[in-house]
């Protein structure tokens, strides 16, 4: 396994950090996941939770870098992000999908015995559940828990399921990887802009 990523890795623009996280291994609560898909968010991004400034919910997003920002969505799911940028930047990378490479029985127990291996961490809520993360992990220091990796070919495109800044190509994934989640444009997002 490659060396753990240090805080300086995360203390950069989230749009730069995001594609470099692909192929990296994240470990927590007895499970390790190889990241296959991520999305970047910044404070000047209307789709970001940090867009309106720090709140009790989003304070972790404003630094320091390398911490976990966990939020609850749709009244039923947790999703996890790695905080990026300088202190006060309000930036993070959403961990969208991955392959469980260690601790599969634990991940399976958290996700359900009938869940296919491919789907254990394929999607942001599934990934957080497989890792055992919930709101109590918000603010957890992840420096030392993310090891360097490499992706053969990285692709970029619009982020999934958002209505604002829906065409920003800040979703990154490993080309041809079976653990990448399907792209779903939010039905209320404006029509895609032609190039």
């Amino acid at each position: 396994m490659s060396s753990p990523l240090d805080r300086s890795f995360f203390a950069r623009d989230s749009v730069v950090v995001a594609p470099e996280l692909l192929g990296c291994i994240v470990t927590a609560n007895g499970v390790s996941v190889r990241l296959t898909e991520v999305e970047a968010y910044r404070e000047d991004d209307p789709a970001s939770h940090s867009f309106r400034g720090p709140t009790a919910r989003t304070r972790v997003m404003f630094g320091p870098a390398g911490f976990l920002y966990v939020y609850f969505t749709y009244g039923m799911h947790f999703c996890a992000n790695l905080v990026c940028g300088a202190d006060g930047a309000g930036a993070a990378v959403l961990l969208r999908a991955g392959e469980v490479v260690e601790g599969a029985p634990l991940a399976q127990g958290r996700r359900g015995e009938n869940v296919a291996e491919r789907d254990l961490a394929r999607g942001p809520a599934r990934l957080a559940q497989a890792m055992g993360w919930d709101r109590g992990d918000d603010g957890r220091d992840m420096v030392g828990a993310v090891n360097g990796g490499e992706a053969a070919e990285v692709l970029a495109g619009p982020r999934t399921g958002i209505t604002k800044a829906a065409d920003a190509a800040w979703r990154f994934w490993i080309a041809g990887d079976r653990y990448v989640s399907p792209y779903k444009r939010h039905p209320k997002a404006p029509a895609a802009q032609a190039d």
Side-chain angles (χ1 to χ4, degrees):
M1 191 175 281
S2 298
S3 300
L5 303 177
D6 62 19
R7 202 166 310 281
S8 65
F9 174 88
F10 299 101
R12 300 176 296 148
D13 186 335
S14 58
V15 177
V16 173
V17 173
E20 293 180 18
L21 281 169
L22 295 173
C24 291
I25 308 294
V26 181
T27 301
N29 304 319
V31 173
S32 295
V33 166
R34 177 184 62 90
L35 296 176
T36 61
E37 180 185 6
V38 295
E39 286 180 348
Y41 290 87
R42 297 196 303 208
E43 187 179 8
D44 62 353
D45 167 15
S48 178
H49 291 178
S50 62
F51 186 64
R52 299 197 191 291
T55 66
R57 176 192 186 203
T58 64
R59 64 176 178 74
V60 172
M61 277 190 83
F62 290 85
F67 284 77
L68 199 64
Y69 165 56
V70 180
Y71 65 90
F72 195 56
T73 186
Y74 298 118
M76 64 176 92
H77 300 301
F78 292 100
C79 295
N81 302 256
L82 292 169
V83 175
C84 297
D87 282 0
V93 173
L94 174 64
L95 307 181
R96 279 207 55 83
E99 173 192 9
V100 175
V101 292
E102 286 183 21
L106 273 174
Q108 194 83 54
R110 292 170 184 151
R111 292 277 297 119
E113 63 180 46
N114 295 322
V115 173
E117 178 271 341
R118 179 186 185 195
D119 292 328
L120 288 176
R122 190 170 161 247
R126 293 171 175 182
L127 188 151
Q129 186 178 23
M131 299 298 284
W133 286 328
D134 60 24
R135 190 67 173 158
D137 292 290
D138 188 46
R140 178 180 186 164
D141 192 351
M142 294 299 290
V143 170
V146 183
N147 284 276
E150 203 170 298
E153 182 184 357
V154 174
L155 298 177
R159 294 172 294 184
T160 298
I162 57 174
T163 58
K164 297 176 180 171
D167 292 320
W170 291 353
R171 173 178 165 255
F172 303 92
W173 66 95
I174 299 175
D177 195 291
R178 66 188 296 266
Y179 296 94
V180 172
S181 67
Y183 170 73
K184 293 180 184 172
R185 189 174 185 87
H186 195 288
K188 293 184 179 177
Q193 296 177 358
D195 290 336

